[in-house]
Amino acid sequence: MKIIAVIPARYASTRFPAKLMQDLGGKTVILRTYEAAVSTKLFDDVFVVTDSDLIFEEIVSNGGKAIMSIKEHESGSDRIAEAIADLDVDIVVNVQGDEPFTEAEPLAQVLSVFKNDPDRKIDLASLMREITNKDEINNPNNVKVVVDQSQFALYFSRSVIPYPREKNVGVRYFQHIGIYAFRKQALLDFYSLPMKSLEASEKLEQLRYLEFGKRIKMVETTHVGIGIDTAEDLERARAMLKDL
């Protein structure tokens, strides 16, 4: 299998504009993320896909590979699908552009499912981690996922799922970790399909895959991503970098 990583990178960000171009220990956030993905040695190639000339030049001028988006896109999957349409590739991994401490282990976990899928029943794979803290479970910013007995996703929601009407029945709650690995065809199918009501309501692109019958294999992990969504997150990342 030919496996590549793609890092969707928008310049505009509602919560923290231009966050990917912020300085993090002498390099920008997006450059550190790109270099971290390359250093995992899991991929045949790594690309940043962006709508920004600044981000494009930042990656290319530092010896990396970048692709300019042609169209405006609603989601990371749309942006990636456009970029990889003409590439010779089997599996595409979406690496979040605001996670400069990306590690090999969780990426290897999500890739492993395709090596044990000779019948190609898995369209895409992603990660989840168990959460037990009530505040984490109730927080709508933590996307929850429920799975079937084979660990395929049944539904994702910002709400508490399952709803705990009955206590002490052994329910486990899982937070979705937004690392994805896709078969190329699943991405291309996504790109051609319309957004339906579930995706529009929850603002979760993974629901489009489920609404149109794609199968998402979930892998349990203990990994906790360190994303940069706010100026405070950036300061924490700078402090972490000094301790490494």
Side-chain angles (χ1 to χ4, degrees):
M1 291 188 298
K2 184 172 182 180
I3 302 170
I4 66 170
V6 178
I7 306 169
R10 291 176 63 246
Y11 183 80
S13 171
T14 305
R15 295 177 67 185
F16 187 6
K19 66 180 181 179
L20 298 184
M21 290 297 292
Q22 299 298 313
D23 178 76
L24 179 56
K27 296 181 180 179
T28 59
V29 170
I30 188 60
L31 182 59
R32 285 201 177 275
T33 302
Y34 178 86
E35 290 178 345
V38 171
S39 70
T40 67
K41 296 182 168 59
L42 292 171
F43 307 110
D44 295 298
D45 240 329
V46 179
F47 299 92
V48 168
V49 181
T50 185
D51 58 357
S52 163
D53 291 332
L54 278 175
I55 291 174
F56 181 91
E57 287 301 325
E58 171 69 2
I59 297 301
V60 172
S61 66
N62 283 283
K65 296 182 179 181
I67 300 170
M68 280 293 292
S69 291
I70 299 169
K71 302 176 183 177
E72 290 292 321
H73 295 292
E74 288 283 333
S75 71
S77 286
D78 287 315
R79 191 179 302 281
I80 294 170
E82 180 202 275
I84 61 94
D86 296 322
L87 296 182
D88 178 21
V89 61
D90 299 298
I91 305 295
V92 181
V93 177
N94 177 357
V95 175
Q96 301 296 319
D98 60 1
E99 293 204 4
F101 302 106
T102 294
E103 299 172 358
E105 183 181 355
L107 296 173
Q109 281 183 288
V110 80
L111 282 170
S112 67
V113 302
F114 295 101
K115 296 171 184 175
N116 302 307
D117 184 36
D119 297 327
R120 299 173 66 91
K121 292 182 178 179
I122 299 169
D123 295 300
L124 58 153
S126 194
L127 298 178
M128 62 183 185
R129 72 176 184 99
E130 186 174 13
I131 49 176
T132 56
N133 179 278
K134 200 169 185 179
D135 289 337
E136 282 191 289
I137 293 168
N138 287 313
N139 186 344
N141 291 320
N142 290 336
V143 176
K144 275 70 68 177
V145 58
V146 289
V147 296
D148 67 13
Q149 294 298 304
S150 299
Q151 301 292 85
F152 282 98
L154 294 171
Y155 192 67
F156 298 86
S157 183
R158 299 183 184 279
S159 298
V160 178
I161 51 171
Y163 180 79
R165 181 179 175 185
E166 294 290 336
K167 312 294 183 186
N168 304 316
V169 292
V171 167
R172 300 172 71 199
Y173 290 92
F174 290 100
Q175 178 187 359
H176 179 217
I177 305 297
I179 294 172
Y180 293 97
F182 311 85
R183 290 198 187 279
K184 179 181 179 180
Q185 191 58 52
L187 267 174
L188 297 181
D189 290 346
F190 178 95
Y191 194 40
S192 67
L193 294 168
M195 181 188 297
K196 305 296 282 186
S197 58
L198 293 180
E199 180 187 0
S201 175
E202 297 252 21
K203 290 289 184 247
L204 297 174
E205 66 186 75
Q206 59 269 44
L207 291 175
R208 190 185 312 181
Y209 291 99
L210 292 184
E211 285 191 88
F212 285 97
K214 299 298 183 186
R215 305 196 76 197
I216 306 176
K217 182 78 166 184
M218 301 301 298
V219 181
E220 186 173 351
T221 184
T222 57
H223 170 73
V224 180
I226 303 170
I228 296 176
D229 290 319
T230 66
E232 291 74 21
D233 291 338
L234 180 60
E235 289 308 314
R236 282 192 288 272
R238 285 169 174 163
M240 277 187 61
L241 197 61
K242 289 178 182 178
D243 293 335
L244 293 178

